Amino acid sequence: MSTTPAGDHKARRSHIAVALSVWKALFLREAVARISAQRAGWVWLVLEPMLHIAMITYVMTGFRGREFGDADAALFVALGLIGFRFFSNPAFKSPATLGTNRALLVYRQVKPIDPILSRCVLEGWIQILVAVLFMCLLSVLNHDVLPSAPLMPFLCVLTLWLFGLGTGLVLSAATVLGPEVGRFTNLLSMPMYLLSGVVFSPSQLPPPMRDVVLLNPVAHGIELLRSGFFPGYYVADQVSFSYLMGFTLVNLFFGLALHRHLQTRLISL
């Protein structure tokens, strides 16, 4: 009896085991680097985004009062910021990851995509921790933070994170074009913030402006995230989870294809 199938199976398992080991090592390296970058690293790692969310939430609720239509204004703004960060941190911090891990690419086990995947997973876990702690803080302040439809928020944050991962893969692969890509990425983050409905609902905009905002898939994810918390929350007819998911799948496929095609050039940068 031929032993080739068993040998192939063993080889496939070994490749998977190597990839998992690389991802684990890179994840721990990224986590240690983020912690050791400053004193009390873990505290600031969580406190900085919480302070950002708290400040924006306080300012916006000061303008709008405690209620935002049928939704609690503080929770409304907090959900917008949390949802956006699930997308933006993987998307806009990934291109710099290749540069900080350049020395590791001399090892044949480490591919250019590996540091990006590890960084995005780390960012996802950080955002989960931040979201849970901030929801606990709002609960202590007598805000109702329990979602009315828990499955929808889970699907939304997962899809927003995957969309951020795909965007990060595309932008990091684009670094082969030159260092200007990094500057473009920094410029892109602010328009995305403004056009994602972080501190407003697209349904309140006049139709021409609403149509422009809803070209952005992130705005769909944030609106659906809010709808999972607030029963009876009005969502514009154009808002669609399929729209967000379609962009996410295309982004992931395109990003993976670019890394596959440009792998040699990314290593030799």
Side-chain angles (χ1 to χ4, degrees):
M1 182 179 293
S2 173
T3 60
T4 301
D8 289 345
H9 179 63
K10 183 177 180 180
R12 284 196 297 270
R13 289 186 61 191
S14 65
H15 293 159
I16 293 172
V18 169
L20 290 175
S21 298
V22 168
W23 293 341
K24 179 182 178 181
L26 289 172
F27 177 86
L28 294 174
R29 184 177 186 272
E30 281 289 331
V32 170
R34 293 287 297 275
I35 296 169
S36 59
Q38 53 191 339
R39 188 172 298 178
W42 263 117
V43 175
W44 284 110
L45 200 64
V46 176
L47 189 60
E48 182 272 330
M50 284 189 65
L51 288 174
H52 173 80
I53 295 171
M55 181 182 67
I56 300 298
T57 301
Y58 177 77
V59 171
M60 294 308 300
T61 51
F63 282 113
R64 296 186 178 275
R66 187 173 175 82
E67 298 296 326
F68 190 100
D70 294 331
D72 180 284
L75 184 57
F76 177 93
V77 177
L79 289 172
L81 290 163
I82 289 169
F84 182 75
R85 290 179 70 95
F86 267 100
F87 158 77
S88 64
N89 281 21
F92 301 131
K93 292 184 178 181
S94 293
T97 305
L98 277 178
T100 57
N101 291 277
R102 179 71 56 199
L104 297 177
L105 298 180
V106 299
Y107 299 101
R108 63 183 180 86
Q109 296 93 338
V110 182
K111 310 300 181 188
I113 196 174
D114 294 333
I116 296 167
L117 292 175
S118 302
R119 178 62 177 268
C120 289
V121 171
L122 176 62
E123 292 295 341
W125 278 112
I126 292 172
Q127 295 313 309
I128 290 172
L129 181 58
V130 169
V132 170
L133 290 176
F134 198 78
M135 291 300 177
C136 291
L137 175 61
L138 287 178
S139 180
V140 170
L141 297 175
N142 296 320
H143 294 270
D144 183 8
V145 298
L146 293 179
S148 59
L151 182 59
M152 180 56 71
F154 170 77
L155 291 176
C156 287
V157 296
L158 176 61
T159 310
L160 286 168
W161 178 81
L162 289 172
F163 185 51
L165 169 60
T167 304
L169 290 173
V170 172
L171 293 175
S172 60
T175 55
V176 299
L177 300 176
E180 293 79 12
V181 173
R183 301 188 186 99
F184 171 76
T185 300
N186 293 333
L187 292 174
L188 185 64
S189 60
M190 182 53 69
M192 284 293 295
Y193 184 92
L194 296 175
L195 293 174
S196 294
V198 173
V199 294
F200 62 89
S201 172
S203 63
Q204 296 182 317
L205 299 175
M209 293 181 63
R210 182 194 311 154
D211 294 340
V212 171
V213 170
L214 290 179
L215 290 174
N216 179 6
V218 179
H220 291 249
I222 290 175
E223 279 292 272
L224 291 169
L225 172 61
R226 288 167 174 154
S227 72
F229 276 82
F230 307 123
Y233 179 73
Y234 177 73
V235 176
D237 294 337
Q238 300 97 316
V239 174
S240 167
F241 185 76
S242 299
Y243 184 84
L244 172 62
M245 180 58 72
F247 266 87
T248 299
L249 294 176
V250 170
N251 228 15
L252 284 171
F253 176 81
F254 190 47
L256 291 170
L258 281 175
H259 269 265
R260 177 72 174 176
H261 181 67
L262 299 172
Q263 178 172 297
T264 304
R265 293 180 63 184
L266 288 169
I267 292 174
S268 60
L269 280 177

